[in-house]
Amino acid sequence: MLQPKTILAVDIGGSKLLTALAEVSAGGEVSFSGEVRRELAAGLGKEDILAEVTAACDRTLSLTGAAGNFDALGVTIPGLADPKTALWIYAPFSGIRDFPIGAQLGRIYAKPVYGENDVNACAWAEHLFGACRETGDFLWVTVSNGIGGGLVLGGKIFAGHFGCAAEFGHLKVADGGALCGCGGRGCLEAEAAGPAIARRYARLTGKEGLSARDVAEAARRGEAEALEVYRKTGELLGKGAAAAANLLNPEAIVFGGGVAESFDLFAEGLKEKFRSDIMTFANKNVRILKTELGYNAGLFAAASLPYR
């Protein structure tokens, strides 16, 4: 059982910001109110991001009439983070580094602030609120504009010695492949995240300027090239998932993020490649799942952090 809490949930993404007031019950049910979405322009600095976050938080509090009537803030951070201090250490996507966002929000709202890397937080939320409530060992994978991973081992977040465990998106799946933002080539992130889906589709069709969502819509209309792109995406994700399973022997691997909303389009290719690449005897019962947290996984993640 959980201690019921009211959490001001803050989900900071690479290009968007979501806030809401989360009511968490003793049974782990979560309800949201006062949801606010703001787009984040590229190139924002620390002061700009803090201004965006406080504006969104203030709007949520205004919509709900909560004022100071909440227990804590939970903040998901898109990059490396120190969960002890809610320090935003570094984000390759934005270049933000050494940003004490937790301390600053704590001074503004006079409440405890809990911060964590967004994918680690999603993994923890899946354990508390989603498909893995009874699962102590699993890998959570975000597939969106980038690809990230979070590990729950023994019923706890596993961060690794340097706090950088489960960089699933930087498993190498293509020799001499596309250049990744990390500086490497052939990383899963560079080959199977949303931008990679759009690039692969453009190479096949000559259609430029589309998004992964556009390609998914074409696939649902039965377009052969779009279906092939999503099958290839699934195979690459399956290759990475099999490598992770052979190393970790988890109970489950859970997929979330914007691209995972099209899980049905890449699941077959993923599962076939996964089955072909795993050590079957050791991993024959690993479950491949879509998150139960849906589009608001980031808000669930933020709401889960005071329960770490």
Side-chain angles (χ1 to χ4, degrees):
M1 300 292 284
L2 301 177
Q3 180 181 352
K5 292 181 184 291
T6 301
I7 310 300
L8 181 53
V10 180
D11 175 28
I12 305 172
S15 59
K16 65 175 174 60
L17 167 67
L18 296 173
T19 60
L21 203 66
E23 298 285 350
V24 182
S25 75
E29 289 75 33
V30 185
S31 61
F32 297 107
S33 59
E35 293 182 36
V36 172
R37 177 187 175 114
R38 296 172 73 94
E39 301 302 317
L40 296 178
L44 293 182
K46 300 175 187 177
E47 292 184 1
D48 299 317
I49 291 174
L50 184 63
E52 292 282 354
V53 169
T54 54
C57 287
D58 290 347
R59 179 61 176 157
T60 288
L61 295 175
S62 175
L63 288 171
T64 58
N69 191 26
F70 62 96
D71 297 300
L73 290 87
V75 182
T76 64
I77 295 171
L80 303 182
D82 181 351
K84 295 179 180 179
T85 62
L87 173 69
W88 186 338
I89 297 172
Y90 176 61
F93 181 81
S94 64
I96 295 292
R97 66 172 68 233
D98 299 325
F99 180 17
I101 188 169
Q104 293 188 14
L105 289 173
R107 285 194 292 269
I108 292 168
Y109 293 102
K111 298 288 183 180
V113 179
Y114 300 85
E116 174 61 284
N117 164 265
D118 51 358
V119 189
N120 283 348
C122 282
W124 186 241
E126 199 75 51
H127 184 55
L128 287 186
F129 309 132
C132 293
R133 293 188 189 208
E134 304 299 323
T135 303
D137 300 283
F138 67 94
L139 171 67
W140 206 96
V141 177
T142 290
V143 188
S144 188
N145 285 326
I147 294 179
L151 274 172
V152 172
L153 298 178
K156 298 179 180 180
I157 288 288
F158 179 78
H161 183 73
F162 299 104
C164 304
E167 284 292 344
F168 184 77
H170 300 288
L171 293 175
K172 297 295 188 286
V173 295
D175 290 340
L179 180 65
C180 182
C182 74
R185 286 191 176 274
C187 294
L188 191 56
E189 179 167 296
E191 298 288 340
I197 290 171
R199 287 195 303 271
R200 184 168 286 112
Y201 182 72
R203 286 198 299 270
L204 285 176
T205 66
K207 298 177 182 178
E208 302 282 351
L210 299 180
S211 67
R213 182 175 295 178
D214 296 326
V215 181
E217 290 174 357
R220 295 191 195 287
R221 294 194 298 269
E223 185 182 302
E225 293 88 350
L227 287 166
E228 173 58 26
V229 166
Y230 267 93
R231 181 172 183 82
K232 179 63 175 178
T233 299
E235 290 172 354
L236 290 165
L237 291 168
K239 183 174 184 178
N246 285 334
L247 180 65
L248 298 168
N249 194 220
E251 296 176 65
I253 300 176
V254 185
F255 287 84
V259 173
E261 292 300 303
S262 302
F263 183 78
D264 58 307
L265 295 175
F266 64 76
E268 183 178 357
L270 188 161
K271 291 177 181 179
E272 286 183 4
K273 184 62 174 172
F274 179 79
R275 286 192 293 268
S276 75
D277 283 15
I278 58 170
M279 181 184 178
T280 305
F281 186 81
N283 294 291
K284 59 186 175 182
N285 295 320
V286 178
R287 293 173 291 143
I288 304 293
L289 306 171
K290 179 183 177 182
T291 178
E292 288 186 355
L293 304 180
Y295 180 78
N296 279 337
L299 289 177
F300 279 99
S304 76
L305 294 178
Y307 297 97
R308 284 286 303 277

